[in-house]
Amino acid sequence: MENNNTSAAPGGLIDVHIHALPPAYVAAVEAAGGDPSGFPSPTWSPEAAVNSLDLSGASLGILSVSAPGVSIAGTGQEGRDLARALNTQLASYATSDEYSSRLAFFGVLPDWQDVDGTLDEIDFLFSRQKLCKGVTIFTSYGSHLPSNLLFKPIWEKLNHHRALIFLHPTTLDITPRFISGGFPQPVIDYPIATTRAAVDIILGGIMRDYADIDIILSHAGGALPYLANRVECLLLNPALAGMVGVSREDVRAGFGKFYFDTALSTSAAQLGSLLSFTSSERVLFGSDFPYAGREAIAAVLGQYRRFVEGDGRGGEIGPEVLRGNAVGLLGRHGHR
């Protein structure tokens, strides 16, 4: 049975960046020694997710599994089994009598270094289960960024299914690993990971070559709105332009195709930069629950409301606009 709950409740935001921690995922992270990003794993339940939606004024939340994702279980059969278990659990939330009007989900994929396993799970999600609103992918897999040629069959498969893609950052393998001896990577390094992956996707020709996918970037695209022009301008250098197979026109067009969520990214500096970079039609609401707790969500919602009410451009991304953007994007990918 397909779940078409995009418009389950009249009005209200649609939260495209709200996470789930099903029991199988919690167990896998604990078995691996904890979240390698250094961020403490929060407690979670579908009831808590719905309560967070109420706090945000959201009628629908599209659940996703955050980093490190299925990669925590490796690239073999254990990872494949975990992906299937999580997709089955997420589907049960989205189709239950209790939550189906409030919760949907982005499908979970194996570590992309397991290409065959990833291709099979994409087919399961879109051809057999037929319940997800799209899929979550990560900013890197092992030492590979998303445009690595190893992953070409995956992009082809996602394009075949006209997939909506939610790109979420994951841990960077850098030294020193943490700021100030232990400050978790999600605070600063995750937005940088998103920036690197987004540029890699553009320079790798993904947005040019696979026209039937759409990609949502987490956290307002990280530093992309600030740095994208630097990328474009430096391609005027023939030596740099010769390193990639895309033109400046491809780069400019590619940057314009991304969608951006507002998770933990609602200051005037962040929203102003985002609106200077992209169309307001490409901005979506995100909360980052439960990694952002109630106090943090209340704070960023307050910033967002002050921007909407007090900035000259605020009306461009009012709640009704963000909802309409999400409904339109989901509709483009067959969910109404």
Side-chain angles (χ1 to χ4, degrees):
M1 178 181 67
E2 291 196 31
N3 176 27
N4 294 311
N5 59 0
T6 301
S7 302
L13 292 161
I14 295 176
D15 190 341
V16 302
H17 191 147
I18 180 170
H19 294 301
L21 287 89
Y25 180 64
V26 173
V29 172
E30 290 178 349
D35 187 336
S37 76
F39 203 89
S41 293
T43 57
W44 182 87
S45 69
E47 295 86 0
V50 170
N51 289 338
S52 184
L53 294 176
D54 291 340
L55 172 66
S56 301
S59 60
L60 179 69
I62 305 179
L63 299 173
S64 57
V65 173
S66 185
V70 171
S71 296
I72 199 74
T75 58
Q77 189 61 45
E78 186 177 353
R80 296 183 184 188
D81 291 344
L82 179 58
R84 184 62 53 86
L86 294 177
N87 285 325
T88 301
Q89 184 66 73
L90 291 171
S92 75
Y93 300 140
T95 58
S96 72
D97 291 340
E98 191 172 1
Y99 307 118
S100 64
S101 67
R102 303 299 303 278
L103 299 176
F105 73 101
F106 288 127
V108 176
L109 299 177
D111 187 303
W112 277 23
Q113 294 171 107
D114 176 13
V115 174
D116 289 341
T118 301
L119 295 175
D120 183 66
E121 199 64 18
I122 293 170
D123 279 335
F124 168 76
L125 287 164
F126 289 102
S127 297
R128 302 198 291 278
Q129 191 188 56
K130 299 181 180 179
L131 291 170
C132 70
K133 301 299 186 187
V135 294
T136 300
I137 73 171
F138 293 106
T139 49
S140 60
Y141 295 93
S143 61
H144 305 308
L145 288 166
S147 78
N148 190 283
L149 288 178
L150 174 68
F151 303 145
K152 183 176 180 180
I154 298 175
W155 287 111
E156 291 175 344
K157 180 74 72 172
L158 291 170
N159 193 65
H160 170 75
H161 288 292
R162 299 185 67 250
L164 175 59
I165 296 167
F166 173 59
L167 177 68
H168 194 279
T170 192
T171 308
L172 287 173
D173 186 13
I174 54 178
T175 303
R177 191 175 186 84
F178 301 116
I179 296 172
S180 298
F183 207 52
Q185 282 203 359
V187 180
I188 296 298
D189 296 323
Y190 271 22
I192 301 304
T194 296
T195 307
R196 297 179 83 243
V199 172
D200 173 74
I201 285 169
I202 296 300
L203 296 185
I206 300 300
M207 301 301 277
R208 179 196 62 194
D209 297 341
Y210 303 106
D212 290 329
I213 61 168
D214 283 306
I215 299 177
I216 303 168
L217 300 182
S218 299
H219 312 119
L224 186 67
Y226 184 79
L227 294 175
N229 187 63
R230 176 182 175 90
V231 176
E232 185 180 332
C233 287
L234 286 178
L235 284 178
L236 290 169
N237 182 324
L240 295 179
M243 295 179 181
V244 296
V246 293
S247 67
R248 288 186 68 228
E249 290 73 23
D250 291 331
V251 170
R252 185 182 302 113
F255 284 144
K257 291 179 180 179
F258 284 125
Y259 287 81
F260 302 81
D261 75 49
T262 62
L264 293 172
S265 306
T266 57
S267 72
Q270 289 167 312
L271 293 177
S273 177
L274 185 58
L275 287 176
S276 294
F277 174 65
T278 194
S279 164
S280 61
E281 296 175 352
R282 293 184 173 270
V283 182
L284 309 166
F285 174 72
S287 70
D288 219 336
F289 178 82
Y291 294 90
R294 289 183 65 86
E295 290 185 359
I297 292 173
V300 295
L301 283 171
Q303 291 177 329
Y304 166 66
R305 289 168 183 146
R306 287 191 293 275
F307 184 85
V308 169
E309 294 167 4
D311 190 279
R313 294 173 293 179
E316 297 178 32
I317 53 168
E320 71 286 350
V321 176
L322 299 192
R323 175 182 170 81
N325 292 346
V327 170
L329 179 60
L330 291 167
R332 169 173 157 78
H333 292 276
H335 306 290
R336 300 195 182 274

